Amino acid sequence: ELARCGARVILATRSARRGEAAASRIRRESGNNEVVFMHLDLASLRSVRAFASAFLRQEPQLHLLINNAGVSVGGTTEDGFSLPFQVNHLGHFLLTQLLLERLRSCAPSRVVIVASSAHCAGRLRPESLGRPPSGLFSAFQDYCDSKLANVLHARELATREQGTQVTCYAVHPG
């Protein structure tokens, strides 16, 4: 829909094949040639930093950042965090922080963080943050914890950005 409205859209995904295919389909369906793919793997903080650096070099404008990637099960990332917590929260958190100055300079702008109503079952334990919980249903708990972190991030970012014309939202898809 953003492409149909004439926006320049950057699809940031870990799969070049799927990202390029999606960008091509959106260009064709929307008639907007300003839809491009850029590689971003949220399971690697190194990749997040590389993406942000490339984006800031190539793209002078940023008015809307939608943090929408998510996984529900997995192992441990190269950075030592649980895959769901890093992909669903830490990667997005770092990306947002790295792009925040650009969002401010292009204001009015907004950050949309796709969370989940599953955040209601989340529990953040500072002593084990980013490590998967143990026990029965641990994968689901890890997902819920990451979504609670999303909601808290959105809320804190909205508070910190008051008066800057950068607004922040957490949304439940569906």
Side-chain angles (χ1 to χ4, degrees), residues 153-163 166 168:
H153 175 217
R155 193 168 164 177
E156 181 63 21
L157 186 60
T159 299
R160 289 182 184 212
E161 294 303 309
Q162 280 183 330
V166 175
C168 188

Side-chain angles (χ1 to χ4, degrees), residues 61-77:
Q61 300 290 314
L62 178 58
H63 297 281
L64 174 60
L65 175 62
I66 302 173
N67 292 323
N68 185 40
V71 298
S72 58
V73 295
T76 302
T77 67

